[in-house]
Amino acid sequence: MKGIVFTEFLELVEDKFGLEMVDNIISSSNLESGGVYTAVGTYNFSEMLQLLQQLSTNTGISIDDLLLVYAEHFFSVLKDSYPGLLETYKDPIEMISSIENHIHVEVRKIYPDAELPTFEVVEKSENSLIVIYRSSRAMHHFGLGLMNKTFEHFNSTANIVLEKLKEDGTEVKFLINKN
């Protein structure tokens, strides 16, 4: 997993819960990196799982809810870092339906070894979208948070239903209806 995901996560934890919480979740985890991350480095996903679990344990907030909030924060990082990418789109349905064939292509140019989930567009219309998310990491709530912020970015709203196709969350269907 790319280091930017870790550095931004720890920055969010510090902003929301304080530096002591960052120290606590790092010291309570068994991290190969020792909890030292650079944005361009690559780290084992198990470290993110440990940090999320420790934060969940310490705050009483579910991992899914933590991922949702983190995704909303991460969207602003993407917006600030790659404004031209968002300006390519005029509509949230169009942007979300382009994740696999445009956005992830651009991400791989910057981070060639990034391990990204796949998003298969099953059905698309002007106001609705059905997408299948697949990832061994089961971070579907991170995807949901990014989708929520995408609609917000375009001053729009949507009803997004998440349906687990595999119980472990590695395959999820998103049913998106623009309001």
Side-chain angles (χ1 to χ4, degrees), residues 127 129 144 148 151 157-161 174-179:
N127 293 311
L129 185 64
L144 178 61
N148 287 338
F151 277 89
T157 58
N159 179 27
I160 303 175
V161 177
F174 287 101
L175 303 143
I176 304 164
N177 289 294
K178 188 174 171 183
N179 296 330

Side-chain angles (χ1 to χ4, degrees), residues 1-62:
M1 179 170 266
K2 296 313 296 178
I4 190 171
V5 178
F6 288 88
T7 59
E8 290 299 330
F9 176 73
L10 293 175
E11 185 175 306
L12 176 67
V13 172
E14 183 178 351
D15 288 348
K16 298 286 186 190
F17 303 104
L19 189 56
E20 188 176 318
M21 181 65 78
V22 173
D23 290 339
N24 187 9
I25 66 172
I26 289 173
S27 63
S28 300
S29 300
N30 182 18
L31 307 173
E32 189 178 313
S33 69
V36 178
Y37 304 102
T38 64
V40 295
T42 302
Y43 305 92
N44 195 314
F45 177 64
S46 68
E47 294 197 19
M48 179 56 73
L49 285 179
Q50 289 181 66
L51 293 169
L52 282 163
Q53 185 58 59
Q54 289 300 326
L55 185 59
S56 177
T57 299
N58 281 279
T59 62
I61 301 169
S62 74

Side-chain angles (χ1 to χ4, degrees), residues 8-179:
E8 290 299 330
F9 176 73
L10 293 175
E11 185 175 306
L12 176 67
V13 172
E14 183 178 351
D15 288 348
K16 298 286 186 190
F17 303 104
L19 189 56
E20 188 176 318
M21 181 65 78
V22 173
D23 290 339
N24 187 9
I25 66 172
I26 289 173
S27 63
S28 300
S29 300
N30 182 18
L31 307 173
E32 189 178 313
S33 69
V36 178
Y37 304 102
T38 64
V40 295
T42 302
Y43 305 92
N44 195 314
F45 177 64
S46 68
E47 294 197 19
M48 179 56 73
L49 285 179
Q50 289 181 66
L51 293 169
L52 282 163
Q53 185 58 59
Q54 289 300 326
L55 185 59
S56 177
T57 299
N58 281 279
T59 62
I61 301 169
S62 74
I63 289 176
D64 283 347
D65 286 344
L66 290 171
L67 283 170
L68 196 65
V69 170
Y70 176 44
E72 292 175 353
H73 165 79
F74 201 76
F75 185 90
S76 65
V77 172
L78 296 173
K79 183 178 171 182
D80 294 343
S81 301
Y82 309 103
L85 186 62
L86 298 179
E87 291 167 7
T88 306
Y89 301 98
K90 304 291 180 233
D91 175 82
I93 296 284
E94 196 62 41
M95 184 171 168
I96 293 169
S97 67
S98 326
I99 293 171
E100 190 65 32
N101 295 320
H102 180 237
I103 296 170
H104 280 178
V105 171
E106 295 302 314
V107 169
R108 283 190 180 92
K109 288 178 184 175
I110 301 164
Y111 303 108
D113 58 346
E115 296 174 39
L116 303 170
T118 61
F119 289 86
E120 175 192 350
V121 175
V122 176
E123 189 177 306
K124 178 184 169 191
S125 72
E126 186 179 333
N127 293 311
S128 67
L129 185 64
I130 299 174
V131 178
I132 306 293
Y133 160 96
R134 291 182 185 92
S135 173
S136 61
R137 298 194 171 115
M139 289 179 61
H140 45 82
H141 271 74
F142 187 79
L144 178 61
L146 289 173
M147 290 178 197
N148 287 338
K149 290 304 273 189
T150 298
F151 277 89
E152 186 179 304
H153 173 76
F154 289 101
N155 298 311
S156 186
T157 58
N159 179 27
I160 303 175
V161 177
L162 184 152
E163 179 184 316
K164 285 186 182 179
L165 300 178
K166 290 190 176 175
E167 192 56 39
D168 64 0
T170 57
E171 191 169 325
V172 171
K173 181 189 290 185
F174 287 101
L175 303 143
I176 304 164
N177 289 294
K178 188 174 171 183
N179 296 330

